[in-house]
């Protein structure tokens, strides 16, 4: 086996670990996201943050990459957009579809790899993604795809954080929260916490200086108007924002 084949095998193994972890976490993760949907205050803050970066307030074709249990796709569908959510974990998508049905939200969900999107070029007006880039084995490949599928002038909004810093600092804030909470990890066990830490530190992004690395890469790929807002977490999550891994927003335009 040559070095390229070895790398491919490592990436497949890592992807499998990520899928297994989130399959195990899907139901508890969905519980917290449902709480977040029900909470008009925090959902309002998310809508305000996203809305001020979109060209119009409704009627856009929006792709939610790494939709998980469908929070962004459902929230934006309920406010007049045409949304498609994709994820690489089927258990997450099942939770998303059930939640969307309960809200009668016109959002569609597809099983798909964020690094290899099965959409034609120029398919969407905007891409939104939340807490995904840090879990991707090939983030550069993903960013190239996220540049390919928006229409000219399309917007990328990437909410993420340097979660590897949180792991390295052994900060377990929000790791063990109530099933009634709107943010955090309910139902997680010490074993799952360990698996999460191992996955986080094994990702390519864990050794990058983020979001500076993201900004440089997006500009190189061909995005324009690339910028980062490191205070997004303070506005949206407020006291829930992690001190060692504050949420940032990366904005880019095709």
């Amino acid at each position: 086996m040559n070095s390229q084949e070895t790398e491919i095998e490592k990436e497949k193994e890592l992807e499998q670990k990520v899928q297994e972890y989130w399959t195990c976490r899907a139901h508890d993760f969905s519980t917290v996201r449902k709480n977040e949907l029900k909470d008009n205050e925090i959902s309002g803050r998310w809508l305000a943050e996203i809305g001020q970066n979109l060209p119009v307030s409704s009627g856009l074709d929006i792709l939610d990459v790494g939709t998980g249990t469908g929070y962004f796709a459902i929230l934006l569908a309920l406010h007049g957009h045409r949304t498609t959510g994709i994820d690489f974990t089927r258990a997450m998508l099942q939770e998303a579809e059930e939640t969307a049905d309960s809200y009668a939200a016109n959002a569609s969900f597809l099983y798909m790899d964020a690094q290899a999107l099965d959409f034609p070029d120029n398919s969407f007006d905007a891409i939104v993604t939340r807490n995904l880039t840090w879990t991707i084995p090939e983030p550069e490949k993903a960013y190239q795809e996220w540049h390919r599928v928006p229409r000219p002038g399309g917007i990328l909004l990437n909410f993420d954080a340097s979660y590897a810093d949180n792991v390295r600092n052994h900060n377990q804030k929000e790791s063990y929260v109530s099933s009634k909470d709107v943010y955090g990890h309910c139902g997680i066990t010490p074993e799952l916490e360990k698996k999460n830490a191992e996955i986080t530190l094994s990702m390519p992004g864990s050794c990058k200086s983020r979001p500076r690395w993201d900004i440089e890469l997006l500009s190189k790929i061909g995005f324009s108007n690339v910028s980062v807002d490191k205070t997004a977490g303070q506005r949206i999550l407020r006291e829930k924002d992690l001190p060692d891994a504050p949420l940032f927003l990366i904005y880019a335009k095709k």
Side-chain angles (χ1 to χ4, degrees):
M1 184 179 293
N2 60 39
S3 59
Q4 184 177 5
E5 290 173 335
T6 301
E7 285 301 313
I8 292 173
E9 285 300 314
K10 286 182 179 179
E11 288 168 5
K12 287 182 178 178
E13 182 180 342
L14 190 53
E15 286 179 351
Q16 184 175 354
K17 287 182 178 179
V18 171
Q19 282 183 315
E20 289 174 352
Y21 174 80
W22 288 112
T23 296
C24 183
R25 292 289 325 285
H27 183 69
D28 288 328
F29 189 80
S30 179
T31 296
V32 175
R33 286 292 183 261
K34 287 176 182 176
N35 295 341
E36 198 172 18
L37 273 172
K38 293 175 185 175
D39 190 306
N40 291 331
E41 185 176 342
I42 191 168
S43 288
R45 295 199 295 265
W46 278 113
L47 280 170
E49 198 72 33
I50 294 171
Q52 70 180 358
N53 289 289
L54 296 178
V56 296
S57 60
S58 64
L60 296 177
D61 294 313
I62 298 179
L63 175 63
D64 179 13
V65 183
T67 189
T69 57
Y71 180 77
F72 273 174
I74 295 168
L75 186 66
L76 293 169
L78 291 173
H79 286 79
H81 296 290
R82 297 177 293 274
T83 62
T84 302
I86 67 158
D87 205 275
F88 208 44
T89 304
R90 295 188 187 277
M92 287 284 196
L93 291 170
Q94 182 177 346
E95 295 283 348
E97 289 171 351
E98 291 174 359
T99 303
D101 287 344
S102 71
Y103 277 87
N106 189 22
S108 60
F109 297 98
L110 300 169
Y111 176 75
M112 198 177 297
D113 186 350
Q115 303 165 125
L117 299 178
D118 189 21
F119 297 112
D121 296 355
N122 309 323
S123 294
F124 297 94
D125 298 305
I127 292 179
V128 295
T129 184
R130 174 184 179 185
N131 296 350
L132 174 68
T133 321
W134 70 275
T135 71
I136 296 179
E138 295 184 276
E140 295 183 36
K141 190 175 179 181
Y143 273 143
Q144 288 170 349
E145 284 290 272
W146 303 355
H147 180 263
R148 180 181 66 80
V149 300
R151 295 170 181 134
I155 302 300
L156 167 66
L157 300 179
N158 180 7
F159 295 91
D160 204 14
S162 297
Y163 292 109
D165 292 338
N166 201 59
V167 171
R168 281 188 281 264
N169 292 331
H170 305 288
N171 187 343
Q172 294 183 329
K173 181 183 179 184
E174 306 306 332
S175 291
Y176 308 99
V177 302
S178 164
S179 60
K180 296 180 181 179
D181 212 315
V182 297
Y183 185 78
H185 298 283
C186 79
I188 197 167
T189 64
E191 181 184 6
L192 287 170
E193 184 78 27
K194 182 180 179 181
K195 286 183 179 179
N196 179 68
E198 290 173 352
I199 290 171
T200 302
L201 295 179
S202 66
M203 291 294 172
S206 68
C207 59
K208 305 295 185 182
S209 177
R210 302 191 64 205
R212 185 180 66 186
W213 174 79
D214 302 74
I215 297 300
E216 293 173 352
L217 179 57
L218 289 168
S219 298
K220 180 181 178 181
I221 288 171
F223 280 100
S224 63
N225 300 86
V226 183
S227 63
V228 61
D229 186 339
K230 296 181 180 180
T231 63
Q234 297 172 24
R235 292 191 300 275
I236 303 167
L237 304 177
R238 297 184 179 177
E239 72 280 359
K240 300 290 186 181
D241 200 25
L242 296 174
D244 292 318
L247 188 76
F248 54 75
L249 166 60
I250 295 173
Y251 171 96
K253 187 175 183 179
K254 182 173 179 178

